[in-house]
Amino acid sequence: MSHALDLLLIGGIMLLALAAHTIGQRLHVPRVTLLLLVGALAGPELLDLIPRSVSHNFSLVTELTLAMVGFLLGERMAFRDLRQGREAIIISLAVTLITALLIFVGIWLVTDNLVASLLLAAISTATDPAATLDVIRETGARGPLTRVVSQVVAIDDAWGAILFSVLLVFAELVSGNGAALMETVGHGFYEVLGAIALGALLGLPMAWMTGRLKPGEPMLLESAGFVFLAAGIAGAIGVSYLLTCMALGVMVANRAHHHIRPFRSIEGIVEPFLAMFFFLAGFSLDWEVLPTLGVIGAVYIVVRIGGRVAGGYVGGVLAGSAHSVRVHNGACLLPQAGVAVGLALVATDRMPEMTFLLPLVIGSTVLFELLGPPITMRQLRQAGETGNGSYEEPDDDR
């Protein structure tokens, strides 16, 4: 069977990504947003330029991309400096809890629906680490704000998953559907703790091998092999592959003597996957759900923005962060993608009577994916941490 169309599409996406990068630098718009918009224009919801069958491969591209993104985020969690690790943990907890609390209050006041308030409060805490990391890489950002944001997006989905498991239990109890109480709690803890354990277990041999292979092809084979193996095992045993690969990266970053090399190897191959990921994400967007947002959706969007900003500021104050980190970090955490939709799918499966939940989350995700990256870029620029493009780390043996 010929794959001519697939090859044409892949080549076209690569060149579109190059054009998006060039245009984005001139217009100060993230390439993430440009690729999402181009993908949406080409998709079946708008111009319908590409067959729908293209989206059938989106799940594989998503898992490959997020596996590498998760591993790269793990590098940001090298807590050799205890204060830096403490700062990110405090801020991520504050952002998660304050966002959830404000969403709960806001949705409850509008709907008087306790179940919907609990579920949307938990779902609102999810972010999109891929979009945030891509903006950081594109702008060559360095500094305390960049470091904190990178660390926070690496761990806040874990807090969100735990909070979702807890609030889903309460929602089922409130609605009288608490038969699967222990199953829900157990699955939530299994998915989070199992992923961390798996990543740490695979990280030990990877950290031991790192530095015993020369940079180049052997290092790339080792790095990609462990990352994809971790994601595959995670999927097979039903734990979070994103969190597994983060834990793998954390273990390598903290245990390996030459920990820079495997991360630079993955960075060398992740760009084409990111380009396909964001284009296909735009291609798969369902624009028809936007008009269904209504008052509840508007409240959810506005309050989530306020919750991220307020949580970032409060967390920065509690952690003793610099002024620029307090003011800007929360607004850098607006992008929201697959994790939120996945949580909404789980909630809808458990509670099918919540018919408006999934369209609302998908519709708000479209807006946050389009508006979040430009806002992140603006915050990094205002903090004075952006460069003139992607930067290179030293290739020494740190």
Side-chain angles (χ1 to χ4, degrees), residues 169-374:
V169 169
F170 280 103
E172 290 183 326
L173 289 174
V174 169
S175 66
N177 187 25
L181 174 62
M182 294 307 297
E183 179 184 349
T184 302
V185 176
H187 179 74
F189 279 101
Y190 168 74
E191 183 171 355
V192 173
L193 297 179
I196 294 173
L198 175 60
L201 186 63
L202 291 173
L204 289 174
M206 184 176 181
W208 180 83
M209 289 181 64
T210 298
R212 289 172 170 79
L213 298 175
K214 293 182 179 179
E217 290 183 7
M219 179 61 68
L220 175 58
L221 292 174
E222 175 211 343
S223 303
F226 270 103
V227 170
F228 295 147
L229 180 67
I233 295 175
I237 64 175
V239 300
S240 169
Y241 64 87
L242 177 62
L243 191 55
T244 297
C245 293
M246 283 184 191
L248 179 71
V250 170
M251 183 62 70
V252 172
N254 286 280
R255 298 287 297 177
H257 294 296
H258 304 273
H259 72 276
I260 291 296
R261 295 178 184 174
F263 294 105
R264 296 298 83 81
S265 297
I266 294 298
E267 279 188 347
I269 64 172
V270 74
E271 291 293 340
F273 289 93
L274 283 169
M276 288 188 289
F277 173 76
F278 290 119
F279 178 88
L280 291 174
F283 182 86
S284 303
L285 290 177
D286 186 2
W287 294 84
E288 292 182 354
V289 303
L290 288 180
T292 68
L293 288 177
V295 176
I296 302 176
V299 170
Y300 176 82
I301 291 168
V302 172
V303 175
R304 184 176 183 269
I305 293 173
R308 306 312 267 180
V309 174
Y313 187 85
V314 172
V317 171
L318 294 176
S321 302
H323 178 73
S324 63
V325 175
R326 298 181 188 182
V327 172
H328 297 292
N329 83 84
C332 292
L333 305 173
L334 294 180
Q336 187 174 43
V339 175
V341 177
L343 296 179
L345 284 169
V346 172
T348 303
D349 179 63
R350 294 279 189 177
M351 311 185 73
E353 67 273 14
M354 304 297 294
T355 55
F356 68 91
L357 192 69
L358 187 58
L360 187 150
V361 173
I362 294 175
S364 61
T365 295
V366 172
L367 292 177
F368 281 123
E369 277 295 89
L370 293 176
L371 300 178

Side-chain angles (χ1 to χ4, degrees), residues 365-389:
T365 295
V366 172
L367 292 177
F368 281 123
E369 277 295 89
L370 293 176
L371 300 178
I375 293 174
T376 299
M377 178 180 283
R378 179 176 176 80
Q379 300 305 308
L380 293 172
R381 290 189 188 281
Q382 288 181 342
E385 297 191 6
T386 54
N388 295 320

Side-chain angles (χ1 to χ4, degrees), residues 2 43 54 62 90 94 133 169 171 224 227 262 388-390 398:
S2 174
V54 167
T62 297
I90 291 174
L133 184 64
V169 169
V227 170
N388 295 320
S390 48
R398 290 193 294 177

